[in-house]
Amino acid sequence: MLSALCHTLRDSGGGVLDRCYRVFPCLADPARRSSLGLKAALVMLHLVFVGVLFLFDTDLIEKTKHQPWYTGLYLVLFVITLVQYFVTSGSSPGYVLDAMREVNETNALFRKISTSSKQPASSKNGNMVITVEGSQSGRYFPGSNATSWTKLVLEMYPPGTSIRTLTCPYCNVEQPPRAKHCHDCDRCVLQFDHHCVWLGTCVGQGNHCRFWWYLCEETVLCLWTGILYITYLKTNISRAWWKDAIMIVLLVILAISLIFLLLLLLFHSYLILTNQTTYELVRRRRIPYLRGIPDRVYPFSKGVCRNLYEFCCVRSSMTNLERLPTALELEEKSRPYSCFDFFTCRCC
């Protein structure tokens, strides 16, 4: 009797789950289910920290009545941070397959325009026909015409590089420099930095800038919330011990989170200024194209100002890929700085 009841409950529960999976297909995938759970937990943490503050701190409510702009700015930052989080988690890090598709589509369009732009033009006497070729409509990289993805990738490596050594064994596509296959996403990512569990996606060429801005906003929000907590404890330390205990525990968690966020923000700022990725910095000795380069040499750096400009303004297209530097360029980058270099702003 008990066994039959258990089977009935299991079957009914399975039917409910199947109906739920049909309505919400994303819940059928364990990885996406885990990602959604982490996102819900992160949002709940934000709501708990802010909600407890407004629930306990009556002085803050009174201050809001007299100075609404202060609390308004704080709530605006809170909303912007959550929006930036979801925008970053929902953005593409820049997949190699998408870049390859974009290049192939552009090449097909180029060939179509080139074919249709061949116009027969007769001479004045009408005896000779001259065919005028259409000019190139688009340009992807210096010195390259409408070429295939394979040729495009090979041009970024030193001459003589084999296609077999560049092909990803999982995606079976040619990887440009700085790309890596992510086993969590099961796709190759351009300028792979790391896979963020909290975002549920990789951080790469397509969303690294958004990720940095999210870190910046989250750090400011955490710091501002900590200041409000400390202000509350200074003025209400002797009123209700259980409220103080809750606030102190939350303040400790905030302090740990702030230290972690600040270190992460400084670390990624350093990576941006030197045009590196976390993967390249951590696994430098294991990456073939970085293995023979000294640690103090940043092969992809173009100077602080140029690195910042390209990071913030020139990452709109996935076809803005970086080739490997030549031996002469690496020799120039490894040259020690002199006083004259500082006057000429070589580091910029």
Side-chain angles (χ1 to χ4, degrees):
M1 182 70 178
L2 183 61
S3 176
L5 182 61
C6 289
H7 282 295
T8 304
L9 291 174
R10 190 181 301 113
D11 293 338
S12 62
V16 172
L17 287 177
D18 290 338
R19 286 194 295 272
C20 185
Y21 292 157
R22 281 196 297 271
V23 177
F24 303 102
C26 58
L27 297 178
D29 185 5
R32 296 184 68 182
R33 217 165 39 231
S34 174
S35 175
L36 288 173
L38 286 173
K39 291 177 182 177
L42 187 69
V43 173
M44 285 301 300
L45 278 174
H46 283 75
L47 293 176
V48 165
F49 278 98
V50 177
V52 167
L53 182 64
F54 281 93
L55 187 64
F56 289 174
D57 195 353
T58 56
D59 294 337
L60 180 60
I61 298 175
E62 290 296 326
K63 185 177 181 180
T64 303
K65 295 177 181 178
H66 299 288
Q67 297 177 339
W69 61 269
Y70 182 83
T71 308
L73 285 176
Y74 175 74
L75 293 178
V76 166
L77 177 62
F78 174 79
V79 173
I80 289 176
T81 303
L82 288 182
V83 170
Q84 183 70 30
Y85 168 74
F86 284 106
V87 169
T88 306
S89 64
S91 59
S92 170
Y95 296 110
V96 174
L97 283 173
D98 294 338
M100 182 173 66
R101 190 178 302 112
E102 183 179 331
V103 169
N104 290 336
E105 289 176 355
T106 310
N107 290 340
L109 180 64
F110 169 80
R111 287 193 295 269
K112 183 178 178 181
I113 294 175
S114 297
T115 304
S116 62
S117 61
K118 292 180 179 180
Q119 302 172 355
S122 299
S123 63
K124 291 182 178 180
N125 57 15
N127 296 326
M128 183 174 61
V129 176
I130 303 172
T131 301
V132 180
E133 297 283 349
S135 60
Q136 184 178 344
S137 61
R139 184 170 62 91
Y140 318 119
F141 298 93
S144 68
N145 295 324
T147 57
S148 65
W149 174 257
T150 302
K151 184 179 179 182
L152 201 61
V153 171
L154 281 175
E155 287 177 353
M156 300 178 189
Y157 287 91
T161 305
S162 172
I163 300 178
R164 189 171 300 175
T165 60
L166 309 178
T167 304
C168 173
Y170 304 98
C171 299
N172 198 28
V173 295
E174 291 80 18
Q175 290 182 338
R178 313 189 75 181
K180 181 187 178 297
H181 183 86
C182 175
H183 295 281
D184 295 292
C185 298
D186 198 24
R187 300 172 78 178
C188 289
V189 179
L190 298 170
Q191 291 192 20
F192 175 83
D193 189 88
H194 71 285
H195 182 88
C196 183
V197 178
W198 287 101
L199 290 175
T201 186
C202 286
V203 176
Q205 176 179 309
N207 61 355
H208 199 175
C209 185
R210 294 189 182 97
F211 178 72
W212 186 89
W213 278 110
Y214 166 68
L215 286 179
C216 187
E217 293 162 8
E218 192 73 72
T219 303
V220 175
L221 179 65
C222 189
L223 178 62
W224 198 342
T225 307
I227 293 173
L228 293 176
Y229 270 64
I230 294 173
T231 304
Y232 167 82
L233 290 173
K234 282 183 177 180
T235 57
N236 302 278
I237 194 64
S238 60
R239 293 186 182 179
W241 66 269
W242 60 275
K243 289 185 180 181
D244 295 340
I246 294 175
M247 297 291 279
I248 289 173
V249 170
L250 293 178
L251 183 60
V252 171
I253 298 173
L254 271 176
I256 296 173
S257 303
L258 180 61
I259 294 172
F260 174 75
L261 286 169
L262 192 58
L263 291 176
L264 195 60
L265 180 64
L266 292 175
F267 174 69
H268 277 274
S269 300
Y270 163 73
L271 293 178
I272 294 166
L273 294 176
T274 55
N275 197 4
Q276 297 184 89
T277 64
T278 302
Y279 172 70
E280 290 172 345
L281 184 65
V282 175
R283 300 295 182 91
R284 187 177 180 114
R285 299 184 183 278
R286 297 181 59 180
I287 301 175
Y289 58 82
L290 295 177
R291 198 173 294 159
I293 301 175
D295 292 339
R296 61 184 181 85
V297 177
Y298 311 121
F300 299 103
S301 178
K302 303 175 182 66
V304 174
C305 298
R306 183 70 182 271
N307 292 338
L308 280 174
Y309 171 73
E310 292 192 352
F311 180 80
C312 299
C313 307
V314 194
R315 297 302 171 95
S316 57
S317 175
M318 285 186 293
T319 55
N320 289 327
L321 307 177
E322 294 183 89
R323 63 174 178 81
L324 288 178
T326 62
L328 291 176
E329 291 172 339
L330 288 175
E331 184 179 354
E332 176 65 22
K333 292 176 185 292
S334 61
R335 183 171 58 86
Y337 283 93
S338 63
C339 297
F340 179 75
D341 292 328
F342 285 103
F343 283 111
T344 57
C345 299
R346 176 190 164 195
C347 59
C348 298

